[in-house]
Amino acid sequence: MSRALPQVEPDPSLPRRVTVYEVGPRDGLQNESGVVPAAVKAEFVRRLLAAGLETVETTSFVDPRWVPQLADAEEVLALLGDAGRGPRRPVLVPNLRGLDRALAAGVGAVAIFGSATETFARRNLNRSVEESVGMFAPVVERARAEGLWVRGYVSMCFGDPWEGPVPVAQVVDVCRRLMDLGCDQLSLGDTIGVGTVGHVHRLLEALAAAGIGPEQVGVHFHDTYGQALANTLAALRDGVSVVDASTGGLGGCPFAKSATGNLATEDLVWALDGAGVETGLDLDALVATSSWMAEQLGRPSPSRVVTALTGG
Amino acid sequence: MSRALPQVEPDPSLPRRVTVYEVGPRDGLQNESGVVPAAVKAEFVRRLLAAGLETVETTSFVDPRWVPQLADAEEVLALLGDAGRGPRRPVLVPNLRGLDRALAAGVGAVAIFGSATETFARRNLNRSVEESVGMFAPVVERARAEGLWVRGYVSMCFGDPWEGPVPVAQVVDVCRRLMDLGCDQLSLGDTIGVGTVGHVHRLLEALAAAGIGPEQVGVHFHDTYGQALANTLAALRDGVSVVDASTGGLGGCPFAKSATGNLATEDLVWALDGAGVETGLDLDALVATSSWMAEQLGRPSPSRVVTALTGG
């Protein structure tokens, strides 16, 4: 048999180039039950960079009591050296204390993690949406003063496990506040994976009407209900060109008892390669990286492309 | 937590109504390693009908030596009685002998199974594409003379495991021949799941240019590379309104060592429900049917919606 590859047939409704924002080392590994050694994490990032990824979120400076999986953030960054620095190696910072640690480690970009819903803000951040924006304000201000690039995650943009479907206007309001703080980019998260293509279109339309165009946002879909790739392509048709994905599909959502988590970078790249959309990524190298990481974690990758190409 | 449901936000680029052509009892079960008792198969079809499915392919009259899983076609249809008859309960027939058996069982619709590639035609049908069309000609002629509805499957429309990517013109040629025989509908199959959205668009465009409009075709995607739902929605945007799917994602492709097979009906319905597209289907009843069938088969459903909603 010949090696299976998608035939290149450009889809005129998609952008010419897409930036994959790789979240595996942070969003993926923080949801793993076991703790991965710092040296393995650093090697994971190095392999991702070698596969062509230009934007990789490397780790998180959340309090280690809450996310013990990433308690070694300083060590990982020290191991990465210059490869872990610069405006395209963001780290997650929850507050000023996290930002201090990140700055001390020499990072060039940070991400904050907000919520579109009150219930999730209270459960995840222990404060209201209003209070959380107030907490982020000095973080973004100081980060910008230090010359850092700043991303704002907005979680629960489509549905919330306690509140149900989330009104588009409510999401737009939180997005507007985070942009007003000075974020360079937002990431619209479907944290529980319930969104569908029409909903994606309506949200992007409403954001654009509020002055937040598709060039200012990335999209972050979870595959819990099998919708991640379809929703991503819907967003690309509306002009978005930054897509969050996790190599090997690492990461999950603690609210859904499911093995499926983030959109797998490989499944996204298969789609984009076939549509002639440039990503700069080497699919074989990504698959090899996933397979290597799956060995470290002792479980198979949930990526369908990885499974198909490696006979898993 | 509230019951997760997609928010209804119509996608203006999708059709108002989609017909799901359910292939689980035939395409799904023929790829299972174990043999399911006829009574369970009949009950599976009954539950699918109760969930709102109007078109269900019930079984196959292929020689039992090749597909022992469906050797009980007559028995299944006898158990179904009137519920297994009529123009919306097709059965697969490979040749005149299969058609004779199907007619004796009182069916009202049949499907033939062709190939867009020479290699797969030789491996699956033991003859060239030309010879296989010649074999189908009297089958379609007699079926039509008996007043049956006739569907023509075209497999390997996007890639072939031996030949690689399949030229669009080659697929159009086979489709044209099958329509000329008198098929009422074609099903464009991505048997190994390698297709992507641009390729789907180009094929439908070329078919339309050859006089085969989107109202004459259904699409049949496999999720081997995670593309099934995205490709299906791409086809719907081009005017297709018949989609093959398998409840619970039953069925696989013998050429890819992967648990993933047909597009899961539930994952499709989640997407369509969210986009306000009518299907007439009851998602809860489908999920309950999948869970019941998974118990019969002794393995979990690969559908992501089923996994998410049942905590599998």
Side-chain angles (χ1 to χ4, degrees):
Chain A
M1 288 194 198
S2 59
R3 164 90 155 73
L5 276 179
Q7 174 150 341
V8 179
E9 292 279 357
D11 183 322
S13 64
L14 297 177
R16 285 178 57 99
R17 185 173 175 89
V18 160
T19 297
V20 176
Y21 185 108
E22 171 66 38
V23 298
R26 196 278 300 169
D27 190 16
L29 295 184
Q30 83 172 32
N31 287 300
E32 287 295 321
S33 51
V35 175
V36 175
V40 172
K41 288 171 176 154
E43 179 63 17
F44 185 34
V45 173
R46 274 189 221 104
R47 290 180 186 226
L48 293 169
L49 298 173
L53 282 157
E54 293 180 336
T55 308
V56 180
E57 196 166 291
T58 55
T59 186
S60 168
F61 286 92
V62 171
D63 191 318
R65 286 174 297 180
W66 304 118
V67 185
Q69 293 92 336
L70 301 182
D72 55 6
E74 280 87 353
E75 191 182 350
V76 171
L77 289 179
L79 285 166
L80 282 171
D82 285 348
R85 299 204 174 91
R88 303 194 73 172
R89 304 289 181 276
V91 298
L92 194 72
V93 296
N95 49 32
L96 278 172
R97 176 161 161 64
L99 178 61
D100 283 339
R101 287 175 60 203
L103 286 167
V107 306
V110 293
I112 56 173
F113 195 84
S115 168
T117 67
E118 289 295 338
T119 314
F120 189 64
R122 292 201 177 275
R123 291 194 172 236
N124 195 51
L125 305 167
N126 203 26
R127 39 181 61 75
S128 70
V129 168
E130 181 81 36
E131 290 162 350
S132 62
V133 172
M135 173 179 74
F136 293 137
V139 178
V140 178
E141 188 180 24
R142 174 135 182 250
R144 287 180 62 90
E146 298 278 355
L148 304 189
W149 182 86
V150 182
R151 170 180 249 218
Y153 281 101
V154 185
S155 52
M156 303 294 176
C157 285
F158 296 87
D160 173 289
W162 300 278
E163 299 181 17
V166 180
V168 161
Q170 180 178 325
V171 180
V172 171
D173 182 57
V174 174
C175 287
R176 186 69 266 164
R177 290 179 192 213
L178 292 182
M179 287 306 283
D180 289 346
L181 293 185
C183 287
D184 292 287
Q185 181 181 83
L186 299 178
S187 171
L188 309 173
D190 185 7
T191 316
I192 58 171
V194 297
T196 52
V197 291
H199 199 166
V200 173
H201 175 64
R202 295 285 175 225
L203 176 56
L204 290 168
E205 189 178 52
L207 283 167
I212 302 173
E215 71 288 354
Q216 295 177 285
V217 303
V219 288
H220 184 115
F221 290 109
H222 281 242
D223 207 32
T224 319
Y225 293 82
Q227 310 294 310
L229 180 60
N231 288 347
T232 297
L233 295 177
L236 296 183
R237 287 195 179 89
D238 276 338
V240 170
S241 65
V242 174
V243 179
D244 295 10
S246 169
T247 291
L250 283 184
C253 169
F255 307 106
K257 287 172 194 148
S258 163
T260 64
N262 287 297
L263 172 62
T265 307
E266 295 89 343
D267 298 9
L268 171 64
V269 170
W270 185 277
L272 297 179
D273 278 357
V277 177
E278 289 172 37
T279 61
L281 294 173
D282 176 342
L283 183 62
D284 286 331
L286 286 174
V287 170
T289 299
S290 285
S291 298
W292 172 82
M293 196 65 210
E295 270 177 48
Q296 311 298 316
L297 295 168
R299 65 164 178 78
S301 161
S303 157
R304 299 205 160 172
V305 167
V306 173
T307 305
L309 292 182
T310 63
Chain B
M1 288 195 198
S2 59
R3 162 89 155 74
L5 276 180
Q7 174 150 340
V8 178
E9 292 280 357
D11 182 320
S13 64
L14 298 178
R16 286 178 56 98
R17 185 172 175 88
V18 160
T19 297
V20 177
Y21 184 109
E22 171 67 37
V23 299
R26 196 277 301 169
D27 191 16
L29 295 183
Q30 82 172 31
N31 286 299
E32 286 295 322
S33 51
V35 175
V36 175
V40 172
K41 287 171 177 154
E43 178 63 18
F44 185 34
V45 173
R46 274 189 221 103
R47 290 181 186 224
L48 293 170
L49 297 173
L53 282 157
E54 293 179 336
T55 307
V56 180
E57 196 165 292
T58 55
T59 185
S60 168
F61 286 92
V62 171
D63 191 319
R65 286 174 296 180
W66 304 118
V67 184
Q69 293 92 336
L70 302 183
D72 55 6
E74 280 87 354
E75 191 183 351
V76 171
L77 289 178
L79 286 166
L80 283 171
D82 285 347
R85 298 204 174 92
R88 303 194 73 173
R89 304 288 181 279
V91 299
L92 194 72
V93 297
N95 49 32
L96 278 172
R97 176 162 161 64
L99 178 61
D100 283 339
R101 287 175 60 203
L103 286 168
V107 305
V110 293
I112 56 174
F113 195 84
S115 168
T117 68
E118 289 295 338
T119 314
F120 189 65
R122 292 201 177 274
R123 292 195 172 235
N124 195 49
L125 305 168
N126 202 27
R127 39 179 62 74
S128 69
V129 168
E130 180 81 36
E131 289 163 349
S132 62
V133 172
M135 174 179 73
F136 293 137
V139 178
V140 177
E141 188 180 23
R142 173 133 184 252
R144 287 179 63 91
E146 298 277 355
L148 304 188
W149 182 86
V150 182
R151 169 179 250 218
Y153 280 101
V154 185
S155 53
M156 303 295 176
C157 285
F158 295 88
D160 173 289
W162 299 278
E163 299 181 17
V166 180
V168 161
Q170 179 177 327
V171 180
V172 171
D173 182 57
V174 174
C175 288
R176 187 67 267 167
R177 291 178 192 213
L178 292 182
M179 288 305 283
D180 288 346
L181 293 185
C183 287
D184 292 287
Q185 182 181 83
L186 298 179
S187 171
L188 309 173
D190 185 7
T191 317
I192 58 170
V194 297
T196 52
V197 292
H199 199 166
V200 173
H201 175 65
R202 295 287 174 223
L203 176 56
L204 290 169
E205 189 177 53
L207 282 168
I212 302 173
E215 72 287 355
Q216 296 177 284
V217 303
V219 288
H220 184 114
F221 290 110
H222 280 242
D223 207 31
T224 319
Y225 293 81
Q227 311 293 310
L229 180 60
N231 287 347
T232 297
L233 295 177
L236 296 183
R237 288 193 177 90
D238 277 338
V240 171
S241 65
V242 174
V243 179
D244 295 10
S246 170
T247 292
L250 282 185
C253 170
F255 307 106
K257 287 171 194 150
S258 162
T260 64
N262 287 297
L263 171 63
T265 307
E266 295 89 344
D267 298 9
L268 171 65
V269 171
W270 185 276
L272 297 179
D273 278 358
V277 177
E278 289 173 37
T279 62
L281 294 174
D282 175 342
L283 183 60
D284 286 331
L286 286 175
V287 170
T289 299
S290 285
S291 298
W292 171 82
M293 197 65 211
E295 269 176 50
Q296 311 299 316
L297 296 168
R299 63 164 180 77
S301 162
S303 157
R304 301 209 157 169
V305 167
V306 173
T307 305
L309 292 182
T310 63

